[in-house]
Amino acid sequence: QVQLQQWGAGLLKPSETLSLTCAVYGGSFSGYYWNWLRQTPGKGLEWIGEINLSGSTNYNPSLKSRVTISVDTSTNQFSLRLSSVTAADTAVYFCAGLRLGEFPYWGRGTLVTVSS
Amino acid sequence: DIQMTQSPSTLSASVGDRVTITCRASQNVNRWLAWYQQKPGKAPDLLIHKASILKSGVSSRFSGSGSGTEFTLTINSLQPDDIATYYCQQYNSSVYTFGQGTKLEIE
């Protein structure tokens, strides 16, 4: 059974860089694409981007200029960096495993608040 | 991006009812559609993928149908534990998008 555990800073100031990490336990790390999504009351669920075992990435064009997703296969972890954050980036961020296009595995979510 | 529109936004029903949630895509997504259930403070939980395939372990009271641009999620014999927000998600394009959600309430 695949389980995802995520962590990272929950309070940022405008212009700082958001940094979150997700560790994958159980199952096959190589069998999935590893994703980041976020959720706000206003915009709902928004897909941020994904990475596979070989490091190939795919980002949402709306965030692409500020997003970097990386993977560490030695520890079965993947990370999100979102630069130059503003209040609009305040959200609950989820890591998730993608199978054929659906997300069967999710982390618990991390509330990230951007405030001066 | 492909826009996903759910209706209704809120649905109130009684225990034992059959409820239906509709999801419409702004363009053809074939059958590349998933449904999720989300309870407050939790991550979304996959219910159905490829429009109608129930995830292992999900109650058979849940079913999905549709293809192209129109899809439905049906819950038979509504139970109190079904109280949640339901989302559709398309994966026909390389930018995955979700509906805005349907909040299901018990009358």
Side-chain angles (χ1 to χ4, degrees):
Chain A
Q1 176 72 3
V2 175
Q3 295 187 345
L4 281 66
Q5 182 177 351
Q6 60 181 100
W7 65 90
L11 180 60
L12 297 172
K13 290 182 168 49
S15 80
E16 291 184 334
T17 295
L18 179 157
S19 181
L20 297 172
T21 299
C22 185
V24 180
Y25 300 100
S28 169
F29 188 67
S30 62
Y32 303 93
Y33 269 73
W34 301 104
N35 286 247
W36 290 96
L37 303 94
R38 67 184 184 181
Q39 186 172 32
T40 62
K43 292 189 70 176
L45 281 160
E46 181 179 29
W47 174 74
I48 298 170
E50 64 185 356
I51 192 166
N52 68 3
L53 187 69
S54 62
S56 176
T57 56
N58 179 30
Y59 299 136
N60 190 322
S62 68
L63 296 166
K64 187 174 183 177
S65 64
R66 298 193 291 130
V67 172
T68 302
I69 297 176
S70 58
V71 66
D72 183 344
T73 57
S74 67
T75 58
N76 285 9
Q77 294 178 5
F78 61 105
S79 299
L80 168 70
R81 289 175 61 84
L82 179 67
S83 64
S84 305
V85 297
T86 69
D89 295 310
T90 294
V92 176
Y93 286 76
F94 294 99
C95 59
L98 183 88
R99 193 167 53 194
L100 297 176
E102 73 278 7
F103 299 98
Y105 309 115
W106 294 73
R108 289 189 171 186
T110 300
L111 174 61
V112 176
T113 302
V114 181
S115 175
S116 55
Chain B
D1 295 356
I2 298 175
Q3 305 303 314
M4 307 300 292
T5 304
Q6 290 181 230
S7 60
S9 296
T10 306
L11 179 56
S12 186
S14 300
V15 172
D17 282 354
R18 176 180 179 178
V19 301
T20 298
I21 298 168
T22 297
C23 176
R24 289 185 173 88
S26 61
Q27 60 191 77
N28 182 14
V29 299
N30 297 293
R31 292 180 59 81
W32 302 116
L33 185 107
W35 288 98
Y36 300 84
Q37 176 192 69
Q38 187 178 30
K39 296 185 177 181
K42 302 292 187 181
D45 191 14
L46 178 67
L47 296 174
I48 287 169
H49 62 98
K50 209 171 180 185
S52 62
I53 300 175
L54 217 59
K55 176 188 168 186
S56 176
V58 172
S59 171
S60 59
R61 296 185 297 103
F62 292 87
S63 62
S65 65
S67 65
T69 62
E70 188 154 336
F71 301 86
T72 59
L73 171 70
T74 299
I75 310 172
N76 287 304
S77 187
L78 189 68
Q79 299 299 305
D81 190 52
D82 299 333
I83 297 312
T85 300
Y86 293 83
Y87 295 92
C88 60
Q89 174 235 331
Q90 67 77 25
Y91 48 104
N92 188 70
S93 79
S94 59
V95 178
Y96 313 116
T97 52
F98 292 80
Q100 82 282 11
T102 295
K103 186 175 183 180
L104 180 55
E105 301 172 339
I106 293 286
E107 283 180 342

